[in-house]
Amino acid sequence: MDALSIINKYYSENNDCKDILITHSKSVADKAIQIANNHPELNLDKDFLYEAAMLHDIGIIFTNASGIYCFGESPYICHGILGAEILRKEGYPKHALVCERHTGAGITMQNIIDNNLPIPHRDMLPLSLEEQVICFADKFFSKTKLQNEKTVEKARKSLLKFGDDGIERFDRWCREFL
């Protein structure tokens, strides 16, 4: 599979949204591979890490996030579910799980219910080590300050809105992956 060919299928035009997606995803993929290289004992699937990291945000095009040139109809919080739908349709169910489980440090069903989020009522927590590494790597890069890697403290701060359990997962990942 070539992640770029799937991106090109859904982002046919060269525009700011596509540039942001590719730049952000490449940064996340590079960090995920760096983690894998630094932790050979984890036996991470580097090919999957790279592909899934490149595709984890493919659903942003269908969201309304004008700050990153996305002019779809869905709220941004839906980008993971929308991306998962794309990748399941393309025949990549494992990659789809990364899409739907990477938001925040994963989102519990209780957090979805408590915050009345417009996504399915189920736990969306990264389970496999690869899912966890991509979710973790993603926290270090925004789509508005491309290629500027956040410090651990800034990445941690960005998770505050997702609740204490997300902070606890992130802190555990810091101990395991850094």
Side-chain angles (χ1 to χ4, degrees):
M1 175 191 66
D2 180 325
L4 202 51
S5 64
I6 292 176
I7 291 170
N8 286 335
K9 182 174 179 179
Y10 292 89
Y11 292 72
S12 57
E13 297 178 27
N14 288 325
N15 57 31
D16 290 331
C17 179
K18 183 178 182 179
D19 291 343
I20 288 168
L21 172 70
I22 290 172
T23 302
H24 167 76
S25 298
K26 179 91 170 77
S27 294
V28 173
D30 289 346
K31 183 147 186 93
I33 296 299
Q34 177 187 31
I35 291 167
N37 288 337
N38 289 341
H39 293 280
E41 74 280 4
L42 297 176
N43 294 314
L44 296 165
D45 180 340
K46 292 180 191 176
D47 290 336
F48 176 78
L49 274 179
Y50 188 82
E51 293 167 359
M54 287 302 296
L55 295 168
H56 78 281
D57 276 335
I58 195 166
I60 64 172
I61 195 169
F62 300 111
T63 68
N64 184 358
S66 60
I68 55 170
Y69 306 98
C70 297
F71 303 103
E73 296 183 9
S74 297
Y76 186 76
I77 191 76
C78 298
H79 79 280
I81 291 296
L82 296 167
E85 289 173 10
I86 289 170
L87 294 182
R88 283 189 184 97
K89 187 169 85 172
E90 294 294 328
Y92 297 99
K94 277 181 56 179
H95 298 69
L97 292 173
V98 173
C99 286
E100 71 180 36
R101 295 176 177 172
H102 81 277
T103 303
I107 306 175
T108 64
M109 181 171 68
Q110 194 58 53
N111 195 288
I112 293 166
I113 293 167
D114 290 349
N115 292 288
N116 197 30
L117 300 177
I119 54 179
H121 288 189
R122 64 176 184 258
D123 281 337
M124 294 192 201
L125 301 170
L127 300 180
S128 74
L129 276 176
E130 285 83 3
E131 290 171 13
Q132 292 175 51
V133 166
I134 293 166
C135 183
F136 180 69
D138 184 46
K139 302 301 96 65
F140 290 90
F141 300 96
S142 78
K143 291 177 201 71
T144 56
K145 294 180 181 167
L146 294 171
Q147 297 173 320
N148 289 343
E149 186 168 345
K150 295 178 190 176
T151 63
V152 167
E153 196 48 48
K154 283 188 178 178
R156 193 176 190 277
K157 187 177 179 183
S158 71
L159 292 170
L160 291 174
K161 63 182 170 241
F162 294 103
D164 290 341
D165 58 328
I167 297 288
E168 290 169 17
R169 270 189 301 285
F170 181 80
D171 289 344
R172 179 174 47 84
W173 292 336
C174 284
R175 291 188 299 275
E176 291 176 14
F177 301 145
L178 294 181

